[in-house]
Amino acid sequence: MEQDRNLLIQAEMLALVEGITPSLVEEHPVQFLLHLDQIRQKAEQHKLTALHDLSCAFESALQQAFKHGRGTVTAQAYLESMKDALSCEPSDRRMTEAVMANVALRLGGQP
């Protein structure tokens, strides 16, 4: 029964993540941020720590990306990482840190 619930939550969250396109960040930034906030709230509600932390880091990274005209590139990297996080089984804090380090490497930074 628990496995069915987890699959349902995973499908719901994946639909939310896939429903947000990287180009939206440049075309309609407010709408993009509202959608990202919805993902963050749902992730917190379902105790999806990696997804919640990624969405928080994503918002912070977007502030810098907008300054340098890299919003779409940043959105692509984070959205891919969010999909990766959803494809994993429930994780502990170390797994969350590993996912965040992966994002940092994808964006050319240091973990």
Side-chain angles (χ1 to χ4, degrees):
M1 186 70 100
E2 184 68 23
Q3 179 68 16
D4 291 341
R5 182 179 171 276
N6 288 342
L7 288 174
L8 196 61
I9 291 168
Q10 185 179 24
E12 174 189 4
M13 297 306 297
L14 189 57
L16 286 173
V17 172
E18 288 180 341
I20 187 170
T21 60
S23 62
L24 190 63
V25 75
E26 298 288 343
E27 296 167 3
H28 302 285
V30 173
Q31 186 179 10
F32 186 92
L33 290 171
L34 288 172
H35 195 85
L36 184 59
D37 189 52
Q38 180 184 19
I39 292 169
R40 179 181 28 254
Q41 289 176 19
K42 288 279 189 179
E44 184 175 24
Q45 175 187 351
H46 295 302
K47 298 182 183 3
L48 300 171
T49 307
L51 188 59
H52 175 269
D53 291 354
L54 274 170
S55 61
C56 291
F58 189 178
E59 188 172 352
S60 296
L62 280 175
Q63 293 174 3
Q64 290 299 316
F66 284 138
K67 291 178 185 176
H68 304 324
R70 295 179 35 141
T72 302
V73 172
T74 300
Q76 288 171 331
Y78 271 94
L79 289 171
E80 284 303 313
S81 294
M82 291 168 85
K83 289 176 192 174
D84 291 347
L86 282 169
S87 67
C88 298
E89 292 296 318
S91 61
D92 60 14
R93 195 74 181 147
R94 288 186 309 221
M95 180 60 83
T96 300
E97 290 170 0
V99 169
M100 297 299 285
N102 180 289
V103 170
L105 289 174
R106 285 184 188 189
L107 293 174
Q110 296 296 318

